[in-house]
Amino acid sequence: MFQLPARPANGLRVLDLCCCAGGAAMGYHQAGFEVVGVDIDHQPSYPFEFIRADAVEYATANAHLFDFVHASPPCQSHSALTKGTNKGRTYPDILGPLRNVLTASGVPFVLENVQGSPLRRDLTLCGEMFGLRVIRHRYFEVHGFTANAPSHQPHRGRVAGMRHGQWFEGPYFAVYGEGGGKGTVSQWQDAMGIHWTDVRREIAEAIPPAYTTYVATQFLASTRSKAAA
């Protein structure tokens, strides 16, 4: 049975909107936050306090009760992969409404999404920055604090997997989709740093906890700097 990693608590609460299975949440937990997740769908693998609700409605009523907010709105309308394979379908796009609600709350927050999304690119994080076996570039739009972007590390090679019936070795795994030749569940778990769920879809929809641990440390450092000024 998975046990949450022990860490010193920092006394702050983070609201994790559109939380899915908790990839972002685990990073904030590791940085010392108390985490509350909200998603419109039931998330049985979410390892922290969970509330099933509409993210925009919940944030409108409750965001001001938290010290920090993270939001990962659905990415399908922006993902290059989805645009290519599901052309003609429509997907919910709540990024703009969430930004408006969270700005009005006055609480520091970040929005996270895939490459191709209309986010301001205050931070672009990659698995190589954290020694992970995924590339998985993600944009973070930062509000209410300052964050320094780490330097992007050169990628070390190709993504491992099957190509036209042939297996190719590489330092990374493609953590998406249900097709074969993309690595085992345990390889995905190790590549992402996610071990509390073994459901491929949940792992594929997540971001590595290392990303939000980094965001959290930037937020804490910026807050302390302001307090000392």
Side-chain angles (χ1 to χ4, degrees):
M1 181 179 293
F2 177 80
Q3 291 186 334
L4 288 174
R7 85 287 186 263
N10 63 25
L12 302 177
R13 299 174 75 226
V14 59
L15 175 61
D16 178 22
L17 296 171
C18 309
C19 64
C20 293
M26 187 61 69
Y28 290 113
H29 169 80
Q30 292 170 348
F33 285 81
E34 177 188 345
V35 185
V36 177
V38 171
D39 202 285
I40 198 166
D41 295 318
H42 182 51
Q43 301 294 341
S45 299
Y46 194 75
F48 306 103
E49 180 182 349
F50 173 77
I51 298 169
R52 187 173 183 180
D54 177 89
V56 175
E57 292 178 0
Y58 189 87
T60 300
N62 298 285
H64 67 284
L65 301 176
F66 291 82
D67 300 289
F68 186 74
V69 180
H70 173 102
S72 295
C75 66
Q76 289 93 335
S77 61
H78 308 301
S79 167
L81 180 66
T82 300
K83 288 176 182 177
T85 58
N86 294 331
K87 187 175 181 180
R89 296 187 184 182
T90 59
Y91 296 92
D93 185 359
I94 62 171
L95 196 157
L98 265 181
R99 181 191 285 118
N100 293 339
V101 166
L102 294 176
T103 299
S105 76
V107 174
F109 68 95
V110 293
L111 299 169
E112 175 273 323
N113 220 287
V114 297
Q115 286 183 299
S117 66
L119 286 185
R120 195 175 64 232
R121 302 179 197 178
D122 298 325
L123 289 175
T124 300
L125 299 183
C126 166
E128 185 59 50
M129 297 172 177
F130 307 99
L132 300 175
R133 296 194 68 185
V134 287
I135 297 174
R136 212 166 190 83
H137 295 124
R138 290 295 183 269
Y139 296 155
F140 291 80
E141 182 177 301
V142 174
H143 293 259
F145 67 104
T146 58
N148 297 313
S151 59
H152 190 269
Q153 303 298 312
H155 298 163
R156 291 171 286 139
R158 68 185 304 154
V159 174
M162 295 294 293
R163 303 289 188 280
H164 306 292
Q166 181 180 355
W167 175 266
F168 291 91
E169 295 292 339
Y172 310 108
F173 287 102
V175 182
Y176 65 85
E178 296 291 341
K182 293 193 177 79
T184 65
V185 169
S186 63
Q187 287 170 327
W188 277 22
Q189 290 173 316
D190 291 341
M192 293 280 284
I194 291 175
H195 294 93
W196 62 92
T197 176
D198 59 2
V199 179
R200 279 190 180 269
R201 177 186 58 79
E202 293 180 345
I203 301 170
E205 290 178 350
I207 60 172
Y211 290 12
T212 45
T213 297
Y214 180 82
V215 171
T217 58
Q218 293 293 295
F219 167 71
L220 293 170
S222 176
T223 301
R224 289 166 187 155
S225 177
K226 288 180 181 178

